[in-house]
Amino acid sequence: GIVDPDNIRSLTPSVAKYSGIDVLCHAMESYTAIPYNRRPSGKPPSPILRPAYQGSNPISDVWSIHALKECTEYLPRVVENLHSDEEARSKMCLAASSAGMGFGNAGVHLCHGMSYAVASQVKGDFWVDGYQRMDCGRDNEKDSGGKHGLVPHGLSVVINAPAVFRFTGTPMSVMNDAAMSPAEEYSMDRHVKCATILANARMKRRGSTAANRVISEKAMREKPGEALSNELLELMNDLNIPIGIRSLGYNENDIEELAKGTLPQHRVTKLSPRQPVGLEELKILFTEALDN
């Protein structure tokens, strides 16, 4: 196929923003996914029985990191000057292709796993400007005038991401006041690398000032999940992306159904670098995601 940046020139800024932030999440999730040789299911008896998503691996890592670096630099430019910034459009098209090759093999994990419930259980008539609104005319939506709501896919993914990376970037051993295992150290290194890439891009985007600084790598390593979550929130604020699923109309009464809606998504939830991820963990994650 041909990837042509001119084809996206006519997108609205909202469509470009949420499509682009989905690319960024593809990259971060595939890079931080459980390694291919540590999947809970273990090594299959035959190659034909391998799952579609393998977990993070050396080949996917190359594509994912490239995509993450390009997204952090060029996504804000695309949103600001979609029609005139040909370089940014080209770089984001390349990033989308790179991330696709990365997560298409490695897979994604909890940000996407939780997104399906958020998008499918959309509250009432929620909508995002820049997306064409259509009258679906379905009988079960008479209360909303025959209209249905829409949470764009990229928004349904990234709005959970700060809570997710706080969770995956906090090892169980630390919570139990024990030493980290080699697997946990490996995962924390990856969260720190992603946080560093986002922080450096923020510095470049906003300029070097006393208020805009990058915390030390040592500080990031003390709380990798917090570091990555905070940097992602900074980017979301810069792009004017809603923070927390409460902004989409959800509240504490919805947590149980959101968690139950996520539970069947084993192909991605089992790729979380922190396990287990069952109903109780998902309820905690959605509660955290209410306000992030």
Side-chain angles (χ1 to χ4, degrees):
I2 297 174
V3 180
D4 185 350
D6 280 345
N7 282 340
I8 66 171
R9 189 193 294 268
S10 61
L11 293 180
T12 66
S14 286
V15 175
K17 172 167 62 178
Y18 292 123
S19 299
I21 205 71
D22 186 37
V23 173
L24 183 137
C25 289
H26 286 156
M28 289 200 298
E29 288 176 75
S30 59
Y31 187 70
T32 58
I34 196 168
Y36 72 99
N37 55 0
R38 292 193 177 117
R39 292 196 309 266
S41 58
K43 182 179 179 181
S46 167
I48 201 171
L49 298 176
R50 288 183 304 174
Y53 287 164
Q54 304 298 308
S56 61
N57 60 82
I59 302 301
S60 292
D61 289 349
V62 175
W63 296 109
S64 299
I65 286 298
H66 172 263
L68 180 57
K69 289 179 178 178
E70 297 292 86
C71 278
T72 55
E73 180 170 358
Y74 293 102
L75 178 55
R77 283 175 50 178
V78 158
V79 174
E80 185 176 357
N81 296 301
L82 175 67
H83 307 294
S84 60
D85 196 335
E86 183 177 0
E87 180 187 26
R89 292 199 314 274
S90 299
K91 293 289 189 178
M92 282 304 300
C93 283
L94 182 58
S97 301
S98 299
M101 285 184 273
F103 93 86
N105 184 268
V108 288
H109 56 83
L110 294 176
C111 306
H112 272 77
M114 295 166 67
S115 76
Y116 308 125
V118 171
S120 65
Q121 297 178 32
V122 58
K123 289 292 186 179
D125 204 22
F126 179 86
W127 207 267
V128 170
D129 290 342
Y131 284 78
Q132 184 178 3
R133 188 184 275 279
M134 300 178 67
D135 185 347
C136 66
R138 292 189 294 197
D139 290 340
N140 63 349
E141 290 172 346
K142 289 179 180 178
D143 291 342
S144 58
K147 295 179 180 179
H148 65 97
L150 172 72
V151 179
H153 173 67
L155 173 56
S156 72
V157 173
V158 75
I159 205 162
N160 299 304
V164 165
F165 289 119
R166 233 178 270 124
F167 172 81
T168 59
T170 304
M172 289 293 292
S173 60
V174 171
M175 295 178 66
N176 297 325
D177 200 24
M180 280 197 292
S181 68
E184 288 175 327
E185 289 182 358
Y186 175 90
S187 178
M188 296 309 105
D189 285 346
R190 292 188 164 230
H191 284 72
V192 169
K193 183 164 186 174
C194 290
T196 301
I197 290 171
L198 265 69
N200 288 337
R202 170 173 56 81
M203 286 287 290
K204 183 175 181 180
R205 186 169 66 248
R206 296 181 183 173
S208 181
T209 65
N212 182 43
R213 61 185 182 86
V214 176
I215 66 172
S216 68
E217 182 177 332
K218 180 182 178 182
M220 286 188 179
R221 290 192 177 281
E222 288 176 355
K223 293 185 176 181
E226 285 288 341
L228 181 50
S229 175
N230 290 341
E231 287 299 336
L232 183 55
L233 286 167
E234 293 282 358
L235 178 60
M236 292 170 70
N237 278 317
D238 284 357
L239 295 175
N240 196 29
I241 292 175
I243 304 298
I245 60 174
R246 198 184 299 276
S247 66
L248 308 183
Y250 292 102
N251 60 41
E252 286 80 0
N253 296 327
D254 300 304
I255 298 302
E256 183 88 17
E257 288 305 311
L258 288 168
K260 287 180 177 177
T262 303
L263 203 55
Q265 304 294 337
H266 290 165
R267 69 188 177 93
V268 289
T269 59
K270 289 188 180 299
L271 290 175
S272 167
R274 177 173 159 182
Q275 295 288 337
V277 180
L279 183 63
E280 291 308 310
E281 287 79 13
L282 290 169
K283 286 163 67 174
I284 292 170
L285 279 164
F286 276 116
T287 300
E288 286 283 322
L290 279 172
D291 303 296
N292 273 323

